[in-house]
Amino acid sequence: MSGDILIRADGLSVGFQIGKGMFNKQILKAVDGVTVEIEKGSFFGLVGESGSGKTTLGRALLKAVPITGGHARYDDGEVQYDLAELGGTELKDYRKRAQLIFQDPYAALSPRMTVRDIIAEPLEVMGLTSSRAETDEKVREIAAKCRLNLEHLRRFPHAFSGGQRQRISIARALVSDPKFVVADESVAALDVSIQADVLNLLKELQRDLGLTFMFISHDLSVVAHTCDHVAVMYLGRLVETAPTRTLFNAPKHPYTKALFSAIPSLDPDDRGKTQKLEGEIPSPTNQPSGCKFHTRCPHAVDRCKVEEPSLQHAEAEGHEVACHRWQELFEPA
């Protein structure tokens, strides 16, 4: 990737202690040694199966869960923060600069608050405005950018559809003028036609406000339409990362190939060409040795069972893959 880097993670890990008692304690490795760079102004996609650690990685970069290993650095040109050590007044400032758009627009909004109060809440909690008039002005400004009108601000969430509720959630996340936004499955609960409208709105806001997005999704067709760069995650680790067009045209990792082959096709000639994933993703508390994917990979050899591959550069710029055999399996003869 080229250009200025907003978020840089190096060997980032997030672990949770589970179990009780002296002998029953276990560490669940939700994120395990992730190294990634997110460029300023980009739409960075993160994909993988449920349980792969996508949401935990996004929350770690928001400092919403503790970082237990490695480093992550935020640098927007005005301030620089080491996210692993962030706390106190610096953490309060980072909350203004990094925000989250939740997945479920029905559960994310308080039914007892008007839309105006929901959007205004971050301004009031963070002390970003000095008067109600100033707060109302900022609320109206961001509401208009999110395609909400003045009449909407006086209503309660129950009066809105799913797409309208998600626009309210987006307005609340952006009212503090953040630089970095994590959108966690933010269109998964919406109808397909509404998804397109919300995705186009996010792209428009990114362009107009100079935002940097981390877009977490399991829907590869949505990622292809929206993102500039995509990282593929499996069991807490990145297995492949590349510019979107490069990744979709020439995936190098068997897991990525399997995910892409599962995308429905209208071409009858494509039937029977899918690469099925056998079994389920292993438990994070009992991870396989070597390559984490070897228990489900049709190309695994003995080396894969004992030696964990690291991300290595492929031929295309910005394309990295963690697989021992990618060159012999997917490179043209």
Side-chain angles (χ1 to χ4, degrees), residues 89-106:
T89 56
E90 289 185 340
L91 179 57
K92 290 182 180 179
D93 179 67
Y94 186 61
R95 290 281 179 257
K96 305 170 189 175
R97 300 172 183 270
Q99 285 288 322
L100 172 67
I101 300 172
F102 293 95
Q103 173 179 350
D104 188 351
Y106 293 91

Side-chain angles (χ1 to χ4, degrees), residues 260-271:
F260 286 173
S261 68
I263 300 175
S265 174
L266 298 178
D267 187 353
D269 293 334
D270 285 342
R271 294 177 182 177

Side-chain angles (χ1 to χ4, degrees), residues 141-157:
E141 180 182 344
I142 194 63
K145 290 179 179 178
C146 294
R147 303 173 190 168
L148 299 167
N149 59 43
L150 292 178
E151 177 62 28
H152 290 155
L153 298 179
R154 293 189 285 267
R155 299 178 185 174
F156 289 87

Side-chain angles (χ1 to χ4, degrees), residues 107-124:
L109 305 178
S110 172
R112 296 177 177 86
M113 298 173 68
T114 64
V115 171
R116 180 267 173 201
D117 291 340
I118 289 171
I119 299 175
E121 188 175 27
L123 297 174
E124 296 166 347

Side-chain angles (χ1 to χ4, degrees), residues 54-227:
K54 307 185 300 299
T55 293
T56 304
L57 176 57
R59 290 176 182 265
L61 296 180
L62 292 173
K63 192 59 178 178
V65 295
I67 296 172
T68 56
H71 301 279
R73 191 162 187 82
Y74 170 91
D75 182 0
D76 63 10
E78 298 177 0
V79 296
Q80 298 180 2
Y81 290 134
D82 182 346
L83 299 184
E85 304 296 331
L86 203 57
T89 56
E90 289 185 340
L91 179 57
K92 290 182 180 179
D93 179 67
Y94 186 61
R95 290 281 179 257
K96 305 170 189 175
R97 300 172 183 270
Q99 285 288 322
L100 172 67
I101 300 172
F102 293 95
Q103 173 179 350
D104 188 351
Y106 293 91
L109 305 178
S110 172
R112 296 177 177 86
M113 298 173 68
T114 64
V115 171
R116 180 267 173 201
D117 291 340
I118 289 171
I119 299 175
E121 188 175 27
L123 297 174
E124 296 166 347
V125 170
M126 297 177 186
L128 298 178
T129 53
S130 57
S131 66
R132 183 179 178 88
E134 185 182 355
T135 300
D136 287 340
E137 182 180 353
K138 289 189 70 69
V139 168
R140 288 194 295 267
E141 180 182 344
I142 194 63
K145 290 179 179 178
C146 294
R147 303 173 190 168
L148 299 167
N149 59 43
L150 292 178
E151 177 62 28
H152 290 155
L153 298 179
R154 293 189 285 267
R155 299 178 185 174
F156 289 87
H158 72 266
F160 297 93
S161 66
Q164 290 172 319
R165 292 189 191 200
Q166 195 61 292
R167 293 204 296 273
I168 297 168
S169 295
I170 293 169
R172 179 179 58 184
L174 301 186
V175 73
S176 62
D177 295 324
K179 307 293 185 183
F180 178 54
V181 179
V182 175
D184 187 5
E185 300 277 12
S186 55
V187 297
L190 305 177
D191 292 340
V192 174
S193 59
I194 306 302
Q195 285 185 13
D197 181 61
V198 173
L199 289 172
N200 290 333
L201 173 62
L202 292 178
K203 292 292 287 185
E204 180 182 315
L205 292 168
Q206 178 211 13
R207 181 183 64 253
D208 294 345
L209 303 178
L211 300 171
T212 302
F213 275 94
M214 171 180 268
F215 187 79
I216 300 171
S217 180
H218 63 270
D219 190 332
L220 292 167
S221 59
V222 168
V223 169
H225 170 73
T226 309
C227 298

Side-chain angles (χ1 to χ4, degrees), residues 303-319:
R303 181 188 179 189
C304 303
K305 300 176 183 179
V306 297
E307 182 182 342
E308 186 167 7
S310 58
L311 282 172
Q312 52 186 297
H313 294 286
E315 290 184 358
E317 182 179 355
H319 194 172

